[in-house]
Amino acid sequence: MSTVGFLYPGFSAEDDYPRAEKLLTDGSRLALVHTEMPEDAHREDALLAIGGDEVLADGARRVAAEAGPLDAVVWACTSGSFIFGPEGAARQVAALERVSGVPTSSTSFAFVDACRRLGIRSVAVGATYPPDVAGAFVHFLTHHDISVHTLSARDIITAAEVGTLPPETVLEFAAAVASDAPGADAVLLPDTALHTVDVLDALDARVGRPVLTANQVSIWQGLRVAGADVDRPGLGTLFRRG
């Protein structure tokens, strides 16, 4: 049983976390606070602002105050981590860990570690972001030796709009991304603003390969670094250890 603190920017798909918590089998808690988002925009300057050290430090202090002792902290924002580049994203996590005093990660690194767990070497990326932001995610993945077969960028500017996409749209998007890259080992959907927790098993079934989503890998990473990495049904291939 562990308590993981999640720092989530703004408001879009944060309800994925209590939904996932209900599926956990060991009493672990997923505690979430909303961090400051001066502007909701998938644009480099706005993303650099939401991922600043002081913004995240404030979030870490608040989630610890609200949830009590934490076993891990995750910056639950993909674009607000990879936009700093591989080295900058690593410095971001290190700074957050110094403040929180517990094992810390971010969604971007969660994708890398999830791919390694499943032996995934090549992926198809289905990004909700504009092409330039999506390209920064591709750079982050390739820096960590993950080959990107194809990239589909939907060019949605705000997280709020992404959060309104219904489950069937998410399933259709993942299937279309997969069909364009039959040789890829998995499909990655890298936006924590996208609701996916209710359809994780359905995504894997529709695509016929693992589909890794941002909120899924964030939750998995938090539990993993907290020492609560166990088999958990209902949360997709990533959570099945057998």
Side-chain angles (χ1 to χ4, degrees), residues 4 15 18 21 23 25 29 41 43 63 71 78 87 100-101 124 126 128 140 142 146 152 186 189 194 197 210 221:
V4 182
D15 47 336
E21 186 177 89
L23 297 173
T25 56
R29 296 172 57 215
R43 198 179 64 243
V63 75
D71 298 293
T78 326
E87 293 79 13
S100 67
T128 52
F140 187 89
T142 56
I146 298 169
S152 175
L189 304 180
L194 194 66
V197 162
Q221 182 82 324

Side-chain angles (χ1 to χ4, degrees), residues 130-169:
D132 60 330
V133 174
F137 183 55
V138 171
H139 172 68
F140 187 89
L141 294 173
T142 56
H143 177 85
H144 291 94
D145 299 320
I146 298 169
S147 173
V148 178
H149 270 231
T150 58
L151 167 65
S152 175
R154 291 195 60 149
D155 203 13
I156 300 176
I157 297 298
T158 69
E161 182 180 351
V162 173
T164 67
L165 298 178
E168 188 55 37
T169 297

Side-chain angles (χ1 to χ4, degrees), residues 42-62:
H42 289 136
R43 198 179 64 243
E44 182 177 356
D45 62 324
L47 296 172
L48 291 171
I50 67 171
D53 287 348
E54 287 306 312
V55 174
L56 300 190
D58 174 71
R61 288 188 286 265
R62 286 192 289 115

Side-chain angles (χ1 to χ4, degrees), residues 5-146:
F6 293 90
L7 313 182
Y8 190 92
F11 297 81
S12 47
E14 68 276 6
D15 47 336
D16 263 4
Y17 291 81
R19 288 171 177 165
E21 186 177 89
K22 292 179 181 178
L23 297 173
L24 305 182
T25 56
D26 65 348
S28 289
R29 296 172 57 215
L30 310 180
L32 181 145
V33 296
H34 296 275
T35 56
E36 182 182 4
M37 179 187 274
E39 183 181 4
D40 180 7
H42 289 136
R43 198 179 64 243
E44 182 177 356
D45 62 324
L47 296 172
L48 291 171
I50 67 171
D53 287 348
E54 287 306 312
V55 174
L56 300 190
D58 174 71
R61 288 188 286 265
R62 286 192 289 115
V63 75
E66 294 176 15
L70 299 172
D71 298 293
V73 168
V74 175
W75 167 222
C77 182
T78 326
S79 56
S81 47
F82 69 68
I83 201 67
F84 288 83
E87 293 79 13
R91 289 193 296 270
Q92 181 188 61
V93 167
L96 183 55
E97 186 161 311
R98 286 193 294 271
V99 173
S100 67
V102 295
T104 301
S105 191
S106 68
T107 308
S108 293
F109 287 108
F111 271 112
V112 171
D113 290 336
C115 286
R116 289 172 177 165
R117 161 61 65 86
L118 296 177
I120 291 167
R121 301 176 64 88
S122 63
V123 301
V125 173
T128 52
Y129 317 128
D132 60 330
V133 174
F137 183 55
V138 171
H139 172 68
F140 187 89
L141 294 173
T142 56
H143 177 85
H144 291 94
D145 299 320
I146 298 169

